[in-house]
Amino acid sequence: MTTTHDAVFVRPAWPDEGPALSELALEAKAHWGYDAEFMAQCRDELTITSEKIAKFRIRVAEIDGERAGFSAMGVVERMADVEDLFVAPRFMGVGVGHCLMRDMLDHARRHGIQFVQVEADPNATDFYEREGFRMCGQVPSGSIPGRKLPLMELSF
């Protein structure tokens, strides 16, 4: 199934697309001004492997055939996790993130998922709040020892 929103086309990730999505994730993360050491510590967590593509529901947003962003969602029973949601910096602010989120949330609703959570980058909390999430706590970073990330949730 594909979704369109204006010029944004959303499709499933291809099995061999991991390297391109990993680079997109790193570019998007670096956009927030993190230094080289921080980015090196995040590299493993931001790497999209073929195993991750097989395990999660990964969707790619394109504009005019170019990868503009991607999302990854994991599901356990009636709960979903936003594993990843990244937009290439040159496409930020044009609705790509919103389109990916709507795609994720529509899928969740269709499949009876009642609760979605995300461990958000602190720079992305405003985006998630605009999408209907609310802050519910903090969790340790998976990449940076001692760093805490906002935990956000949305219930249907």
Side-chain angles (χ1 to χ4, degrees), residues 55-75:
K55 180 179 179 180
F56 297 112
R57 180 181 187 268
I58 300 182
R59 306 280 285 171
V60 177
E62 293 182 346
I63 295 179
D64 295 330
E66 185 178 351
R67 282 180 205 91
F70 75 95
S71 64
M73 181 173 69
V75 176

Side-chain angles (χ1 to χ4, degrees), residues 3 25-26 33 57 65-66 70 85-86 89 99 105 108 112 117-118 122 124-125 142 144:
T3 304
L26 288 164
R57 180 181 187 268
E66 185 178 351
F70 75 95
L85 196 154
F86 290 103
C99 192
L105 297 179
Q117 69 178 17
V118 60
T125 57
I144 312 295

Side-chain angles (χ1 to χ4, degrees), residues 27-88:
E27 179 188 8
K29 188 75 158 182
H31 167 79
W32 297 110
Y34 294 119
D35 64 25
E37 180 183 345
F38 181 97
M39 292 304 299
Q41 289 178 289
C42 292
R43 182 170 292 279
D44 286 348
E45 192 172 6
L46 298 178
T47 298
I48 308 301
T49 63
S50 56
E51 292 81 15
K52 190 169 186 175
I53 291 172
K55 180 179 179 180
F56 297 112
R57 180 181 187 268
I58 300 182
R59 306 280 285 171
V60 177
E62 293 182 346
I63 295 179
D64 295 330
E66 185 178 351
R67 282 180 205 91
F70 75 95
S71 64
M73 181 173 69
V75 176
V76 176
E77 295 180 18
R78 299 224 181 262
M79 188 177 99
D81 283 310
V82 177
E83 299 291 334
D84 294 305
L85 196 154
F86 290 103
V87 175

Side-chain angles (χ1 to χ4, degrees), residues 1-4 9-12 59 103:
M1 177 181 198
T2 58
T3 304
T4 58
F9 174 75
V10 179
R11 61 165 174 81
R59 306 280 285 171
D103 178 78

